[in-house]
Amino acid sequence: MDDLIGVAKEFTLEGRVLDLREHGSGNVNDTFLVTVAGAAEPHFILQRLNLHVFHRPERVMDNLRTVGEHVARRLALAPLTSGRRFEVPRVLLTREGRDHVIDSGGAFWRALSFIEAAETFDTIKDTGQAQEVGSALGRFHNLLSDLAPDRLFDTLPGFHITPGYLAHYDEVLERRGAGQSAEVKYGLRFIRARRAFAPVLEMARSQGKLRLRPIHGDPKVNNVMLDTATGRSVGLVDLDTVKPGLVHYDIGDCLRSGGNPLGEETGDWEMVRFEADLGRALLAGYLSQAQDFLDGADYAYLYDAIRLIAFELGLRFFTDHLAGNVYFKVRHPEQNLARALVQFKLTESIEAQKTAIDAIIRDLR
Ligand code: GN1
Ligand code: MG
């Protein structure tokens, strides 16, 4: 704890560190909220970047700056309507003007501004909130739609490339084998039945039907901040996965996350379902900001994106379970299996409602 406070102090240019506590529920990085007395901004976020996941942390920091500056320029040119705000966490510097600190153990620490008077939720409460969450992602994509994707580093090669996750799964299964529990068998069967579907988005990309754009990479519900007083969205956080990609990864991730009222950590995996009304509101919110830059082919792959990203996340959790929990943080050894089952059930529910989801997409277009 003393070490942590020492690191926090490096980023505290004015005032005094009053408090430091764990923040949020990330599966990859470690996040802390720092409270400072006597500073213009009373809070900031301190994070230890997971270097097993992010091999080039300096590129992550570079992307954060590129996105922050671009969004600031766009908002200066065309301010939002009054009563609306949209914020991107700012990179904070140390006294020496550096954007990170390496501690004695070699860990990589960075600090970000905190978005005040806003909160996040692990699950969506109603369609009004779903609309706001969707519109936050649409606004984010819209604000970056004129940033050339090659201005961003690919900080996580292979991220959201489903066929790559499938190849990794095959390799882990071969190397480590799988248990014989009913749950594991269900997972193995589930994946086997969907192998042919895995390349759907990458194929469309290589055929030139879908193109790379700046994406967030992880726009799940609890990465969207909502104003505490008004409930309106005020921005997206957790920008480490920003990179050139398909907006479909983001749309799929937002819907698989927001459309699951039980949330991705529920123990009640058999009860998990995709709530189409929430899906409609999420998509309506998204499209209210995204009509200008989506084309016909983009719409044609929306259903597949929703189904694929739920499946892909289940596959990633399942593989990590077989691998011995080496990627996602766990509190108990079966947690990644439970998380996988949640996403598989969600995928089944999305599949069962294909006709209804297609109709929603048609209606909203
Ligand atoms: C991870 O760490 P967190 O919770 O922000 C993961 C996402 C998953 C998410 C599922 C870099 O994000 O892809 O969708 O868990 N991030 C990375 O909760 O792998
Ligand atoms: Mg994340």
Side-chain angles (χ1 to χ4, degrees), residues 218 220 223 238 241:
D218 189 15
K220 56 179 177 178
N223 279 335
D238 192 11
T241 47

Side-chain angles (χ1 to χ4, degrees), residues 256-332:
R256 69 102 199 135
S257 160
N260 167 13
L262 290 183
E264 59 188 74
E265 295 291 344
T266 177
D268 229 356
W269 60 276
E270 293 186 19
M271 299 300 290
V272 170
R273 67 198 192 286
F274 180 75
E275 192 67 69
D277 286 345
L278 293 178
R280 173 190 287 274
L282 286 158
L283 209 51
Y286 179 80
L287 293 173
S288 73
Q289 307 299 315
Q291 300 279 5
D292 295 350
F293 61 86
L294 291 187
D295 62 28
D298 289 324
Y299 281 93
Y301 284 92
L302 289 181
Y303 167 77
D304 285 333
I306 301 165
R307 178 184 172 207
L308 185 71
I309 299 300
F311 170 64
E312 178 192 275
L313 185 57
L315 172 66
R316 294 172 63 200
F317 284 141
F318 193 75
T319 304
D320 203 35
H321 173 69
L322 299 183
N325 307 317
V326 294
Y327 186 94
F328 295 106
K329 294 193 277 182
V330 289
R331 285 181 305 278
H332 61 87

Side-chain angles (χ1 to χ4, degrees), residues 147-173:
L147 176 69
D150 61 6
R151 291 282 312 284
L152 297 171
F153 286 110
D154 186 348
T155 52
L156 271 179
F159 193 55
H160 288 314
I161 310 290
T162 317
Y165 291 115
L166 201 54
H168 179 55
Y169 161 75
D170 289 340
E171 185 266 305
V172 170
L173 187 58

